[in-house]
């Protein structure tokens, strides 16, 4: 990854932050994106750059806004001469029955978890085609394959992301560009912590018991997928070994989709 330019959307927290750190450790220049405390983001940015001797930038594009996504891509191309890797990771969750699901939550979730993947992909492809190389990694979910009660928008978005991954792969096949998806099951991040807290409150459980039940009901291994495991998969997809792998989905879900 030495001197490659990598954008990880939604990298101020959770999986995205871990992937951005892994790419920096592998020698890539990285563009962070996402919301959060400006001083904290800047600390992380400077720390990654110093520790790994790479350039790390931050762009605060709101991934619901196509013009800001386009600015994120063009800033990266201006600063680094290319976007070698785009990791479409930014995502949110909201849980509710379909008939109670607030339409504005549906719109926001579909905009971030799905439409942003389209807009980001459309904006990086011209440059990748010109250079004859590129990697697009979409962070989907086990919910790209399976349903889930109270998760209509999330499941719809993640199924669609897998479809978009396949179309991107087909349209770029043979061009030096690949597009693949990683489909994690439960990963311990703020997005999941909120679901654990909601379950604890709903069922009158302590956090430990709520965590265990959440895991074991759906993830047969009974273990969270780790950041290191996800980073390994993302780096693999960007390696020469995966040069002829495109349109694929790697599940890292402890057997969830094997059920
Ligand atoms: P997280 O809440 O820890 O991080 C989400 C990131 O997205 C943050 O950096 C946040 O600032 C950013 N973000 C949110 N809205 C944004 C917007 N409008 N514009 C730009 N950035 C925005 O979540 P996470 O668990 O790390 O999830 C990351 C991705 O992994 C998501 O796509 C999620 O669906 C997927 N995923 C997570 C799990 C899990 O168990 N945590 C499982 C499968 C898939």
């Amino acid at each position: 990854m030495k001197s490659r330019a990598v954008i990880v959307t939604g990298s101020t927290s959770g999986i995205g932050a871990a992937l951005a750190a892994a790419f920096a450790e592998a020698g890539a220049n990285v563009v962070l994106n996402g919301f959060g405390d400006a001083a904290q983001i800047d600390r992380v940015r400077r720390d990654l750059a110093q520790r790994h001797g790479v350039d790390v930038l931050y762009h605060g594009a709101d991934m619901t806004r196509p013009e800001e996504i386009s600015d994120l891509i063009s800033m990266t191309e201006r600063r680094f001469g290319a976007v070698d890797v785009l990791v479409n990771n930014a995502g949110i969750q909201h849980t509710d029955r379909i008939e109670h699901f607030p339409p504005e939550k549906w719109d926001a979730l579909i905009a971030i978890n799905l439409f942003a993947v389209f807009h980001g992909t459309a904006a990086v492809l011209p440059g990748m085609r010109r250079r004859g190389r590129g990697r697009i990694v979409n962070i989907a979910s086990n919910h790209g394959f399976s349903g889930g009660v109270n998760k209509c928008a999330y499941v719809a978005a993640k199924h669609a992301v897998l479809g978009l991954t396949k179309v991107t792969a087909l349209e770029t096949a043979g061009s030096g560009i690949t597009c693949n998806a990683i489909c994690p099951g439960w990963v311990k991040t703020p997005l999941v912590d909120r679901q654990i807290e909601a379950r604890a409150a709903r069922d009158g459980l302590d956090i430990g018991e709520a965590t265990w039940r959440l895991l074991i009901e759906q993830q047969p291994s009974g273990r969270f997928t780790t950041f290191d495991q996800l980073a390994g998969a993302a780096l693999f997809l960007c390696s020469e070994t995966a040069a002829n792998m495109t349109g694929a989905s790697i599940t890292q879900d402890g057997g969830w989709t094997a059920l």
Side-chain angles (χ1 to χ4, degrees):
M1 295 306 305
K2 199 123 201 76
S3 302
R4 297 291 198 217
V6 179
I7 299 174
V8 183
T9 70
S11 44
T12 53
S13 171
I15 294 170
L19 296 186
F23 278 109
E25 190 178 352
N29 297 317
V30 172
V31 180
L32 303 172
N33 158 261
F35 300 146
D37 176 65
Q40 168 65 10
I41 294 170
D42 200 50
R43 259 195 304 281
V44 170
R45 188 189 66 72
R46 279 187 282 117
D47 177 61
L48 279 181
Q50 268 163 20
R51 211 146 21 102
H52 303 299
V54 296
D55 287 332
V56 181
L57 309 178
Y58 168 73
H59 190 294
D62 177 342
M63 297 305 290
T64 62
R65 296 175 181 269
E67 66 286 358
E68 295 186 21
I69 297 173
S70 158
D71 194 61
L72 162 68
I73 307 298
S74 53
M75 178 209 75
T76 308
E77 288 178 330
R78 269 196 318 277
R79 295 290 293 272
F80 295 127
V83 179
D84 296 295
V85 177
L86 171 65
V87 182
N88 286 307
N89 168 79
I92 57 169
Q93 177 61 287
H94 180 80
T95 56
D96 238 324
R97 295 266 167 192
I98 294 172
E99 64 271 32
H100 299 136
F101 211 91
E104 62 279 9
K105 293 280 186 196
W106 168 275
D107 289 349
L109 202 150
I110 296 292
I112 299 164
N113 294 29
L114 173 60
F115 290 0
V117 181
F118 161 72
H119 292 298
T121 301
V124 287
L125 279 182
M128 287 184 174
R129 283 192 196 281
R130 264 197 314 279
R131 290 183 294 277
R133 67 156 202 270
R135 294 280 186 275
I136 299 170
V137 178
N138 294 330
I139 305 303
S141 164
N142 62 287
H143 283 307
F145 299 102
S146 48
V149 171
N150 291 344
K151 294 187 176 177
C152 59
Y154 192 83
V155 168
K158 296 298 186 181
H159 273 66
V161 165
L162 294 192
L164 181 54
T165 301
K166 291 176 189 166
V167 173
T168 307
L170 292 174
E171 291 188 7
T172 56
S175 68
I177 301 165
T178 69
C179 178
N180 294 287
I182 295 175
C183 299
W186 292 121
V187 186
K188 190 86 171 57
T189 70
L191 182 142
V192 167
D193 286 340
R194 286 189 284 276
Q195 293 175 67
I196 292 170
E197 284 155 18
R199 173 178 284 242
R202 187 194 68 199
D203 298 343
L205 303 170
D206 64 33
I207 291 292
E209 183 62 22
T211 303
W212 174 244
R213 288 199 193 174
L214 171 120
L215 264 179
I216 205 61
E217 274 171 18
Q218 286 159 315
Q219 195 142 301
S221 67
R223 293 178 183 172
F224 285 107
T225 301
T226 67
F227 291 150
D228 282 352
Q229 291 159 356
L230 294 166
L235 286 166
F236 163 71
L237 288 173
C238 297
S239 73
E240 197 44 39
T241 310
N244 203 32
M245 183 169 171
T246 194
S249 303
I250 298 179
T251 53
Q252 291 182 291
D253 63 5
W256 188 327
T257 44
L259 277 172

